[in-house]
Amino acid sequence: MNAIADIDWPSSDFTRVPYRVFVDPEIYKLEQERIFRGPIWAYLGLEAEVPNPGDYKTTFVGDTPMVLQRTMDGELAAFENRCAHRGAIVRREPFGNDTEHRCVYHQWCYDLKGALTGVPFRRGVQGKGGYPKDFDLSKHPMRPMRVATYNGVIFGTFSDATPPLKTFLGTSICAYLDRLFHKPVKVLGYLRQDIKSNWKLYTENVKDPYHAGLLHLFHATFGLYRSTQKGAVLMSESKFNSVLYNIGGNYDKDLAEENYKNQKKYVPTDYDLYDPQLLASRPDFPDGIANMIMCIAPTVVVQQIMNTMATRNIRPKGPGQFELFWTYFGFADDDEELTQIRLTQANLIGPSGYISMEDSEATEMVQDNAVVRSTGDTVIEMGGRGEIHDLDYLISEMPIRGFWSHYAKLMAEPPALQEAAE
Ligand code: FES
Ligand SMILES: [Fe+2]
């Protein structure tokens, strides 16, 4: 029996999730094999990050280090950032531009698609040493990954069984990627954050519209997001991916007053910002959406909150830790004022943002308890039990169940079976 069959899902509609999945090192190891190296499209970056021939970015798919590359002929390539010789990291810089990749250890040299092009002392020195005559450079590339893009967002997969990118993303996700990336973007900057919890607790967090108006007091206090506002929850056909959004500024004050009356001691209604510039905004979209949080599981969150736009790459570092790598962007044709608005609003949403810093704290609070006592299950019933479906309201945690339903499917089948099922 393999360890996966061991995950004991207490309910078929995923209203219960065993705490063990957040702490068990065996489960973590199998996730790397069956999910991150399995039939999924993993986020690698934005085309705007590697615009020129020779540009590269180092990143991770799960905990596998990767290089994302723009080749000299303008194509995109991606390969494992691990020397085929004895395993050293080949590129240690976060970004760069070069015509080749050379491993520092014994200087094996690779081209921009990760193919091995040369090794020092191949014929030895003065007739001694060197590689065997039949040593074949072409057999030792850095392991390549298949790459595909959607509206300038780059994804890669290790598996031949992965469905086409658009199918994997799902109809609703594609629609909201079309909305966000409707014109060329430019990168504004990066932030990195180490979070001491399991990566799936963060995935749950961004699929949970109901915490936003409760945990994030800044949101609720200044009316940026309240569960009484209009909004929706949409999922991919697989239920793995989701998009949540709310329409800003239209909430019914009486309804909000009524629904938040029990929270009054936590949600002050008479606060003003000393410097209201923080909330200055210029609408980018005609639809009035103030917050849009998309989760393309398992590797990335794409956000638009007022004028802040960012991708948040989830990079697991073991069962109890992950890095969240934020790439902030604007549109290529933004004027200076709009760029400044986006940069100022990064103080709202980011590792120490007034709105988002509580998220990492919340996931760490869960993790600390799961480590101490990994028995028992979570309860996920807000929005109902049973069928998992899209919603035209926000007071729900149904997309979390959607995530777990597909997670369980991926984890239940070894890659060979996943391939056969296609
Ligand atoms: S480990 Fe890279 S050349 Fe030896
Ligand atoms: Fe949050």
Side-chain angles (χ1 to χ4, degrees), residues 230-343:
K230 287 199 179 73
V233 170
L234 309 171
M235 282 170 266
S236 59
E237 288 75 5
S238 66
K239 316 292 184 211
F240 207 30
N241 306 322
S242 55
V243 56
L244 327 169
Y245 68 80
N246 77 302
I247 310 288
N250 72 336
Y251 71 98
D252 178 326
K253 285 206 167 69
D254 294 336
L255 184 67
E257 189 79 0
E258 170 62 23
N259 281 280
Y260 275 87
K261 69 173 186 278
N262 297 330
Q263 261 81 35
K264 243 194 172 142
K265 107 176 176 213
Y266 304 109
V267 184
T269 49
D270 53 352
Y271 277 20
D272 276 324
L273 280 176
Y274 184 71
D275 182 357
Q277 247 190 359
L278 185 60
L279 295 182
S281 66
R282 262 172 57 183
D284 281 305
F285 304 94
D287 55 18
I289 290 179
N291 295 262
M292 189 281 302
I293 304 283
M294 176 188 292
C295 175
I296 303 173
T299 55
V300 74
V301 178
V302 184
Q303 74 166 59
Q304 173 247 318
I305 298 183
M306 299 204 305
N307 294 111
T308 67
M309 300 187 290
T311 59
R312 309 176 196 167
N313 185 200
I314 298 170
R315 301 173 174 181
K317 306 286 177 200
Q321 191 165 351
F322 67 97
E323 180 188 60
L324 199 59
F325 189 96
W326 301 66
T327 302
Y328 291 86
F329 59 89
F331 293 114
D333 63 0
D334 285 350
D335 58 32
E336 189 47 34
E337 184 196 56
L338 194 48
T339 300
Q340 283 310 317
I341 288 175
R342 296 196 204 286
L343 290 173

Side-chain angles (χ1 to χ4, degrees), residues 21-71:
V21 300
F22 302 117
V23 293
D24 188 326
E26 282 305 311
I27 290 178
Y28 176 83
K29 227 168 89 190
L30 276 152
E31 285 170 351
Q32 297 303 313
E33 180 194 326
R34 295 191 176 177
I35 298 183
F36 291 98
R37 292 193 287 274
I40 59 121
W41 285 101
Y43 171 76
L44 296 172
L46 301 174
E47 289 210 51
E49 291 178 284
V50 284
N52 302 310
D55 284 352
Y56 67 86
K57 169 193 175 182
T58 54
T59 182
F60 290 84
V61 168
D63 56 18
T64 304
M66 300 295 301
V67 177
L68 168 66
Q69 180 76 55
R70 177 79 66 178
T71 64

Side-chain angles (χ1 to χ4, degrees), residues 33 38 93 111 119 130 151 170 220 264 272 276 278 290 300 330 394 401 415 420:
E33 180 194 326
E93 307 88 335
D111 71 13
V119 297
N151 279 359
K264 243 194 172 142
D272 276 324
L278 185 60
V300 74
L394 293 163
R401 295 202 285 120

Side-chain angles (χ1 to χ4, degrees), residues 26 28 40 65 67 73 81-82 86 109 120 151 153 242 252 271 284 299 332-333 355 371 378 395 399 402 406 417:
E26 282 305 311
Y28 176 83
I40 59 121
V67 177
D73 52 16
N81 190 4
R82 180 167 76 159
R86 299 227 309 271
C109 197
N151 279 359
V153 188
S242 55
D252 178 326
Y271 277 20
D284 281 305
T299 55
D333 63 0
I355 293 170
V371 168
T378 62
I395 197 79
H406 196 67
L417 288 181

Side-chain angles (χ1 to χ4, degrees), residues 205 211 216 359:
N205 175 275
H211 84 280
H216 301 304
D359 288 319

